[in-house]
Amino acid sequence: MTKVVHIQYSMESAGRAALRLQKAFVAVNIESTIVSMQHSVQGAANVTYLGTRARLISKLEDKIQGYLTRKVNKLLGSFSYPVLGNNIARLEEVKNADIIYVHWALKGLLNFRNIEQIARLNKPVVIFLHDMWNITGGCHHSFTCETYKTEGCNSCPMFPAVKKNDLSAREFRKKLKIYSKYNNLHFVSPSRWLYNCAKESLLTKNKPVHYIPNILDSSLFKPTDKNVAKKFLNIDGNETVIAFGAISVNSPYKGWKYLQKAMELLKQEDALKNVSVLIFGSAYNKEIADAIPYKTKFMGYLLDEYSTALVYNAADVFIAPSLAEAFGYVVMEALSCGTPVVGFDVGGIPDMISHKENGYLAKYKDAADVSEGIKFCLQNNIKGYLLPEIQPSETVKKHLELFEQIKGV
């Protein structure tokens, strides 16, 4: 039996990708475990959690990162230069594995030396690209910057005060040294967009890169009666429900201002009647509530996936206004629950939305087109569904094919 170990900082929020993949492997008789820094509320099995020392290292690493990135242009998102980490390679779960999956492993879980310690085990190592960090000099999304393709990162826009040999250049060289030294490193992208970025990066253009979408449990995320779902949430069955994940209004990734403007346009046009906006992901946020011209209902942070699936099913349309998205799990979850999604034509979102069939792909940064998409989905009774290429069974099949390719390498 093939043994796989997943290395993942946390299994909450976007970190559930590793947990879902592990469960999918177990379902097809692959021995699959996880090594994680933070304990999960999901009650996951076959997980090894690092101890108190590792969590103290993580807290110290947060402070170090805060200092290193104190002058970063926050409008361009996040930057990470891992300093502290843990020697995961000495754990029995890792030493006994046939294949090692490295997911999102920053915040003190792994540093560059630790990554090399894992590579040195001479086992196939699959680096799962949950954002752009592994293929750049340290930014988690490059937006319009393409120096990671041409110059090897230097004079990074995130460090405008440093003109030469900045932190991105030093990090790029460290990654290039490791990637060039070990032939057992494989990269998996969950979206075609990120796959193309990886194939063009000077770091990974000569490494094996594979496109395999993320996975979810379609027996959990599935359509149910919308009126029943609304009733559970104390929403009138006659209300038109527009839903989105609560977002930081200051996040450069999430496109809040375009969502806000789209709502204002809908209200001005008086295009929709009896609208209720359902928001999940955080507690009540006055700034968001005051900015939305419709009745709002905050669901808070949802700890379990059953509640999350219920919210998707209560929605008549889901909005995902992300400006930078490696994949977009909320899009996949909503579609799997039968709810159409309106999102920008960017990143991994086009892999999941077939325009005007299971949702609407709006023009990038065009709030008016977002409002048009909302109206189109509602007025045409569009139903959400997963496209054939991102069905869970197809995703598992691709991973099994990858195993056969890399086990003998």
Side-chain angles (χ1 to χ4, degrees), residues 122-369:
N122 203 30
K123 301 172 183 285
V125 178
V126 176
I127 298 176
F128 206 109
L129 306 177
H130 292 288
D131 56 29
M132 294 184 72
W133 183 81
N134 285 288
I135 65 171
T136 69
C139 66
H140 290 263
H141 197 288
S142 71
F143 289 97
T144 58
C145 177
E146 296 192 342
T147 57
Y148 72 97
K149 299 179 182 179
T150 58
E151 302 172 27
C153 288
N154 206 346
S155 302
C156 177
M158 299 195 77
F159 297 92
V162 184
K163 299 303 181 185
K164 189 176 181 181
N165 197 32
D166 59 20
L167 208 57
S168 72
R170 283 176 273 167
E171 179 164 337
F172 195 96
R173 290 196 295 269
K174 284 179 178 289
K175 289 176 179 173
L176 186 60
K177 182 178 179 181
I178 295 172
Y179 293 175
S180 301
K181 187 175 179 180
Y182 297 95
N183 293 324
N184 55 329
L185 302 180
H186 306 261
F187 295 80
V188 166
S189 164
S191 68
R192 291 188 177 90
W193 164 79
L194 189 52
Y195 169 87
N196 290 331
C197 291
K199 292 300 292 182
E200 294 175 351
S201 169
L202 291 179
L203 287 172
T204 49
K205 62 185 298 183
N206 296 319
K207 307 300 291 185
V209 181
H210 310 267
Y211 161 58
I212 308 178
N214 277 324
I215 197 168
L216 52 64
D217 184 349
S218 56
S219 68
L220 174 60
F221 289 94
K222 62 183 179 181
T224 60
D225 187 293
K226 287 197 177 296
N227 289 327
V228 173
K230 289 177 182 179
K231 187 175 181 179
F232 265 108
L233 299 178
N234 293 318
I235 298 172
D236 191 303
N238 294 319
E239 290 186 1
T240 296
V241 177
I242 299 173
F244 65 91
I247 49 181
S248 167
V249 294
N250 298 317
S251 170
Y253 302 125
K254 298 303 181 182
W256 157 247
K257 69 177 182 179
Y258 301 100
L259 173 59
Q260 178 187 3
K261 181 63 176 177
M263 293 290 187
E264 291 174 352
L265 291 172
L266 288 172
K267 188 65 174 181
Q268 290 169 12
E269 296 171 8
D270 197 23
L272 303 174
K273 305 295 183 184
N274 201 19
V275 173
S276 179
V277 178
L278 192 58
I279 305 164
F280 69 93
S282 68
Y284 174 80
N285 184 310
K286 188 177 186 300
E287 187 173 3
I288 292 176
D290 290 346
I292 295 176
Y294 295 108
K295 179 172 64 176
T296 58
K297 184 178 181 68
F298 285 81
M299 297 301 301
Y301 182 76
L302 302 176
L303 296 176
D304 65 279
E305 295 185 325
Y306 293 97
S307 300
T308 308
L310 181 65
V311 170
Y312 289 128
N313 272 286
D316 295 291
V317 62
F318 185 84
I319 316 303
S322 298
L323 302 179
E325 197 67 78
F327 180 74
Y329 241 133
V330 293
V331 175
M332 187 182 195
E333 291 168 352
L335 292 173
S336 189
C337 289
T339 300
V341 178
V342 178
F344 287 128
D345 188 0
V346 67
I349 294 176
D351 288 0
M352 295 176 280
I353 297 177
S354 181
H355 187 50
K356 294 187 176 182
E357 294 189 18
N358 66 344
Y360 189 99
L361 287 172
K363 299 181 184 70
Y364 190 54
K365 294 185 177 181
D366 190 332
D369 205 24

